[in-house]
């Protein structure tokens, strides 16, 4: 049962969207969606056309609107239809599909992601790194903060040398990288599928950083098929001119896997053993470089 204030808020938004001719006035139906963890999400249905209204803090809405506008030519992103002038909410097209990820399709999924979104990424002015709505002074600083957060969760589940190793990797990252506008939360939990095929990517939390971050994030976002061959297959589709030779790439995977171990413990601990197996697999690869 929706409370009265929520109904009034969304109904006022609907009336405004009709007035602005963003949506048609006939047969408007709406329902509150449960997918948002922080955002309020509503699905509107107008004569068979579906739209999403998302409400959140202005900085959050502004950064998401900027991301969707910047990559409006990507066939994997919803189409941005309206941005409220004070960034109280945005409206975008609804991507109809399933959120169930089929574990056997990771190689195809990553290829589609690179072709449909990551190859569209654009460099941006150096105005800070990390979260777009609260940037850090450097890419290293952003990653180190995330590593320290993960460290508290992982703790004794890894050897002390593993924690030091990942921090050292972050400290050795080159500082002359070109910043790009990234999705920032580019994992299977934000992917839409149709018959197992990736057709949509939703809910960005935009990050200014290195494009490989989003690819490795997606690669590590499920514990299946975390193999060198699968990652190499995705990288073979890469068109952005950035450093992605194999030794460099594989070291970046260690950072991504470490962060995922922390996320796994917090949100889906049942997958930890699979991720731990992948951690040791990649450690062996690194030793052979």
């Amino acid at each position: 049962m929706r409370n009265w204030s929520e109904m009034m808020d969304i109904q006022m938004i609907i009336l405004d969207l009709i007035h602005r001719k963003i949506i048609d006035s006939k047969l408007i139906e709406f329902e509150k969606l449960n997918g948002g963890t922080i955002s309020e999400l509503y699905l509107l249905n107008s004569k068979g056309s579906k739209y999403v209204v998302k409400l959140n803090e202005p900085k959050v809405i502004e950064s998401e609107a900027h991301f969707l506008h910047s990559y409006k030519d990507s066939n994997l992103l919803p189409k941005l239809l309206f941005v409220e002038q004070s960034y109280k909410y945005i409206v975008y097209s609804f991507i109809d599909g399933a959120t169930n990820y089929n574990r056997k399709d990771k190689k195809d999924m990553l290829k589609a992601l690179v072709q449909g979104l990551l190859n569209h990424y654009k460099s941006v002015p150096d105005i800070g790194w990390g979260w777009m709505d609260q940037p850090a002074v450097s890419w290293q600083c952003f990653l180190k903060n995330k590593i320290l957060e993960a460290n508290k969760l992982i703790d004794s589940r890894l050897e002390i040398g593993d924690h030091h190793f990942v921090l050292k990797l972050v400290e050795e990252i080159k500082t002359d990288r070109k910043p790009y506008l990234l999705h920032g939360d580019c994992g299977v939990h934000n992917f839409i599928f149709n018959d197992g095929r990736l057709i949509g990517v939703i809910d960005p939390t935009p990050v200014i950083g290195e494009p490989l971050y989003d690819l490795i994030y997606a690669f590590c976002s499920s514990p299946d098929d975390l193999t060198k061959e699968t990652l190499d297959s995705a990288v073979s589709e890469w068109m952005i001119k950035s450093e992605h030779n194999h030794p460099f790439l594989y070291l970046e995977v260690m950072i991504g896997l470490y962060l995922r171990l922390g996320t796994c413990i917090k949100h889906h601990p049942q997958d930890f053993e699979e991720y731990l197996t992948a951690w040791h697999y990649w450690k062996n690869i690194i030793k052979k470089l």
Side-chain angles (χ1 to χ4, degrees):
M1 181 73 179
R2 304 181 191 95
N3 67 48
W4 179 250
S5 62
E6 282 182 341
M7 290 184 67
M8 289 300 293
D9 287 343
I10 187 60
Q11 287 177 348
M12 288 178 66
I13 289 172
I14 289 171
L15 288 174
D16 189 41
L17 293 174
I18 292 171
H19 176 72
R20 296 175 183 274
K21 299 183 178 180
I22 306 298
I23 60 175
D24 196 282
S25 61
K26 297 179 181 178
L27 302 174
I28 298 291
E29 299 175 347
F30 71 90
E31 62 178 291
K32 191 168 186 179
L33 298 176
N34 297 321
T37 52
I38 300 176
S39 301
E40 278 189 52
L41 296 168
Y42 294 90
L43 175 63
L44 310 186
N45 194 329
S46 172
K47 295 174 65 177
S49 297
K50 295 180 179 179
Y51 312 91
V52 175
V53 176
K54 176 179 279 190
L55 301 89
N56 205 323
E57 295 295 326
K59 282 188 176 181
V60 175
I61 292 296
E62 182 178 7
S63 61
E64 180 166 350
H66 180 69
F67 180 86
L68 293 177
H69 177 74
S70 297
Y71 300 124
K72 59 186 177 183
D73 294 330
S74 168
N75 61 10
L76 290 180
L77 294 177
K79 303 305 176 187
L80 183 63
L81 303 173
F82 179 72
V83 183
E84 196 275 330
Q85 63 180 359
S86 57
Y87 298 106
K88 292 178 181 176
Y89 67 89
I90 54 175
V91 182
Y92 54 81
S93 61
F94 177 74
I95 301 176
D96 212 346
T99 55
N100 298 328
Y101 163 60
N102 189 338
R103 284 190 170 206
K104 68 179 182 179
D105 295 330
K106 179 171 275 188
K107 189 176 290 187
D108 291 337
M109 177 193 76
L110 292 176
K111 280 190 172 184
L113 178 67
V114 172
Q115 295 167 351
L117 177 60
L118 305 191
N119 279 339
H120 292 263
Y121 279 176
K122 304 171 184 176
S123 59
V124 294
D126 188 353
I127 54 172
W129 296 77
W131 304 119
M132 187 177 172
D133 60 336
Q134 43 185 337
V137 295
S138 70
W139 186 234
Q140 286 172 312
C141 182
F142 169 70
L143 289 177
K144 184 176 270 189
N145 287 339
K146 290 178 70 67
I147 291 292
L148 293 175
E149 290 173 8
N151 177 275
K152 295 174 184 176
L153 294 165
I154 299 168
D155 197 25
S156 60
R157 292 177 176 88
L158 289 180
E159 297 174 5
I160 189 69
D162 289 336
H163 298 295
H164 292 319
F165 171 67
V166 174
L167 273 175
K168 185 179 179 183
L169 287 180
V170 172
E171 289 168 356
E172 292 177 351
I173 285 176
K174 293 182 179 180
T175 58
D176 59 349
R177 295 186 174 194
K178 185 183 294 185
Y180 285 76
L181 177 61
L182 316 180
H183 181 285
D185 196 11
C186 196
V188 294
H189 53 287
N190 282 327
F191 293 171
I192 307 296
F193 301 92
N194 184 5
D195 292 329
R197 183 174 58 89
L198 180 66
I199 61 167
V201 180
I202 59 173
D203 291 342
T205 53
V207 162
I208 306 298
E210 160 62 42
L212 282 174
Y213 176 84
D214 268 4
L215 175 58
I216 292 170
Y217 192 110
F219 175 66
C220 296
S221 67
S222 67
D224 61 297
D225 203 8
L226 291 171
T227 64
K228 181 168 69 69
E229 291 75 18
T230 293
L231 185 65
D232 288 347
S233 172
V235 173
S236 70
E237 305 293 327
W238 198 262
M239 295 182 66
I240 295 176
K241 292 182 179 179
S242 63
E243 187 177 5
H244 57 264
N245 61 72
H246 287 177
F248 170 83
L249 175 64
Y250 299 158
L251 291 172
E252 295 268 337
V253 170
M254 297 301 291
I255 297 173
L257 258 181
Y258 186 89
L259 295 176
R260 180 52 53 174
L261 282 168
T263 301
C264 171
I265 292 166
K266 187 174 182 179
H267 294 292
H268 41 97
Q270 70 277 6
D271 293 335
F272 182 78
E273 290 303 319
E274 284 185 90
Y275 278 115
L276 191 59
T277 298
W279 174 262
H280 293 302
Y281 166 85
W282 280 97
K283 274 183 71 175
N284 287 332
I285 289 175
I286 297 300
K287 286 178 182 177
K288 296 174 183 177
L289 293 179

